[in-house]
Each structure stands twice: as structure tokens, then as C-alpha cells.
Amino acid sequence: MVNGMWGADPDQLDAPEAAEVMGAVLAVFAEKPSSLTLAVTDAAFVVDTGFPVLEILLLPGAPLAVSSVTVGVHTFRQAPLEEVLDSFAEWVGEWSRSDRDAALRATAFVRDGQGSGVAGAVLAPQAARLHGVADDTWETVVVTGSASPRALLEELVRMVGPAAGS
């Protein structure tokens, strides 16, 4: 369901749309953008490859949403940042309501343009912010008050710069 949540079916893109998406993909190689990644992880934040990995590459003016349901196979979509954040939050809600291993969590991380982890959050089953204590080592910080997955995703994007994805 996530692959179809934003943009057109990749098999039905017309030539100008396909060229626009390909241009965005190539721009990633020219200048690595900041990104937000959403994945299902275990308690040590190791990604469970049995679930999709969703990512937003925050290209200026044209965020590129990437979905990977199988390692090495990706779907690319260009869509407004708000639309992609909404679809990611919807996916978290669907995942939360599914029959899943209680030890797993939906986790999001933002990285700067150099690929360094900047911040993260556990979106479900219980909201928490992540604080980096070393390279790819994180500890949880309890969120006081209510925080929706959508609000946490938006907060993470803001942390990698006000121009990200605008």
C-alpha cells in the first residue's frame, strides 16, 4: 500500500514525469541531500528487513520519496513533503494496528548531507526521541505529553534545516 500512497504508478508515468523523477534520482548522486529514514527496528535499532524501509531524500524544491520493500529494490516518487510525511505517518498507524512482534518498533532517523545521524525518534508502539551517544548508538528519551508519529516526523525534518524539502 505504501508504494501507491503518493504519486502515480511508476509503470504509468508519462515521459516528462519519468524524466523529472530520473533527474531527481541523478541529483542525489551529484550532491548528497539530507534524508529521513523510517524503518522497523529491534531494541538495538537494527533494521528488520522483513518490513519496508521508507526514505525521504530532502532535495531542495523536490523531495524524493524512496520505498524499498526488498533489499536492493527501490521505488522512487516525487511528491510534496507534506504528502510524503502524511503517508509515512499513515504507514506507522497501519503497522501499529497489525499483528507484530512486541519487541519491534517503528523508528525514524534524520541524517545530514554527509550521511551522519543527526536525530531520531521511536514513532510506535510508544513515542520517544532518540539521543545519539556515539556513532549509530542511540538512547531513548521519553516524550512528555502526546506526540503523534506525524508530529515527530515533521520535527525530525525541521532538525536537518529549514530549507530541507522546501
Side-chain angles (χ1 to χ4, degrees), residues 18-29 57 59 62-64 78:
E20 188 176 330
V21 169
M22 200 61 209
V25 171
L26 293 174
V28 172
F29 292 101
L57 301 173
L59 298 167
L64 184 64
Q78 278 191 294

Side-chain angles (χ1 to χ4, degrees), residues 92-93 95-96 100 104-107 121-128 149 152:
V92 171
W95 178 83
S96 296
R100 58 178 169 69
L104 297 178
R105 57 192 73 192
T107 308
V122 175
L123 307 176
Q126 182 177 2
L152 288 169

Side-chain angles (χ1 to χ4, degrees), residues 77-92:
R77 298 274 195 280
Q78 278 191 294
L81 181 60
E82 297 299 317
E83 183 180 325
V84 178
L85 291 176
D86 287 343
S87 70
F88 282 19
E90 183 178 325
W91 184 90
V92 171

Side-chain angles (χ1 to χ4, degrees), residues 13 40 53 60 69 94-95 140 154 156 158 161 164:
L13 291 176
V40 174
V53 174
V69 292
E94 288 177 14
W95 178 83
T140 57
E154 193 169 80
L156 289 172
R158 276 196 305 267

Side-chain angles (χ1 to χ4, degrees), residues 96-111:
S96 296
R97 293 184 294 274
S98 69
D99 184 26
R100 58 178 169 69
D101 184 336
L104 297 178
R105 57 192 73 192
T107 308
F109 294 94
V110 284
R111 291 181 167 74

